[in-house]
């Protein structure tokens, strides 16, 4: 029982540290803020290809979180990167991965694609 409490405590501490670190490295933007800047940035949808095909923000490039490590070189470090996923969790993890590799101008859509009300493109 004591070991379980120690493990649970460690998980909570890790989660809190990760949360605050993520808030420092990636700026969460409202849809209005996101819309104001994404056209001048690299717009990346980190959802899986089937999610992307079902509907994505017009102009977005699909680099799933599961492929990001291998495809990171497709992104430029000298331009802002606007990330989004379905609800904001994966884009936060993607920002952490990018930050560790030297990317600094990182933004993500607060609430993710499910909150997006702008133009959407779907594969026919």
């Amino acid at each position: 029982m004591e070991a379980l409490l120690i493990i649970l405590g460690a998980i909570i501490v890790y989660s809190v540290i990760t949360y605050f670190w993520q808030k420092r490295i990636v700026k969460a933007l409202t849809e209005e803020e996101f819309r104001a800047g994404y056209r001048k940035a690299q717009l990346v949808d980190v959802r899986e290809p089937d999610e992307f095909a079902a509907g994505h923000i017009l102009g977005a490039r699909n680099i799933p979180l599961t492929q990001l490590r291998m495809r990171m070189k497709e992104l430029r470090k000298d331009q802002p990167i606007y990330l989004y996923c379905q609800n904001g969790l994966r884009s936060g993890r993607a920002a952490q991965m990018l930050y560790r590799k030297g990317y600094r101008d990182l933004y993500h859509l607060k609430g993710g694609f499910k909150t997006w009300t702008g133009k959407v493109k779907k594969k026919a």
Side-chain angles (χ1 to χ4, degrees), residues 5-121:
L5 288 175
I6 291 170
I7 292 169
L8 190 59
I11 291 170
I12 291 169
V13 167
Y14 173 79
S15 298
V16 169
I17 290 169
T18 301
Y19 171 80
F20 284 109
W21 183 61
Q22 191 173 307
K23 279 183 87 71
R24 214 178 76 230
I25 65 165
V26 61
K27 184 162 174 30
L29 302 175
T30 64
E31 181 179 341
E32 195 176 295
E33 294 167 326
F34 197 86
R35 196 187 298 261
Y38 82 88
R39 285 192 179 89
K40 297 180 282 285
Q42 302 170 85
L43 180 60
V44 181
D45 183 327
V46 298
R47 299 175 303 156
E48 291 302 311
D50 58 326
E51 294 173 285
F52 183 79
H56 57 271
I57 297 173
L58 200 60
R61 180 179 354 173
N62 186 216
I63 303 179
L65 181 62
T66 54
Q67 299 174 16
L68 187 59
R69 261 192 190 87
M70 297 174 296
R71 296 181 59 190
M72 216 174 267
K73 288 181 177 67
E74 294 176 30
L75 299 171
R76 295 175 52 163
K77 289 183 179 177
D78 64 339
Q79 291 181 346
I81 299 174
Y82 277 52
L83 302 159
Y84 73 92
C85 61
Q86 194 62 27
N87 59 24
L89 294 174
R90 286 177 280 181
S91 56
R93 284 205 298 266
Q96 289 175 355
M97 288 170 67
L98 290 166
Y99 188 86
R100 282 189 210 108
K101 295 295 181 185
Y103 295 84
R104 292 295 180 263
D105 207 358
L106 303 168
Y107 305 87
H108 83 119
L109 179 59
K110 197 183 293 181
F113 183 70
K114 70 177 183 192
T115 64
W116 183 255
T117 60
K119 285 198 171 134
V120 171
K121 182 170 172 53

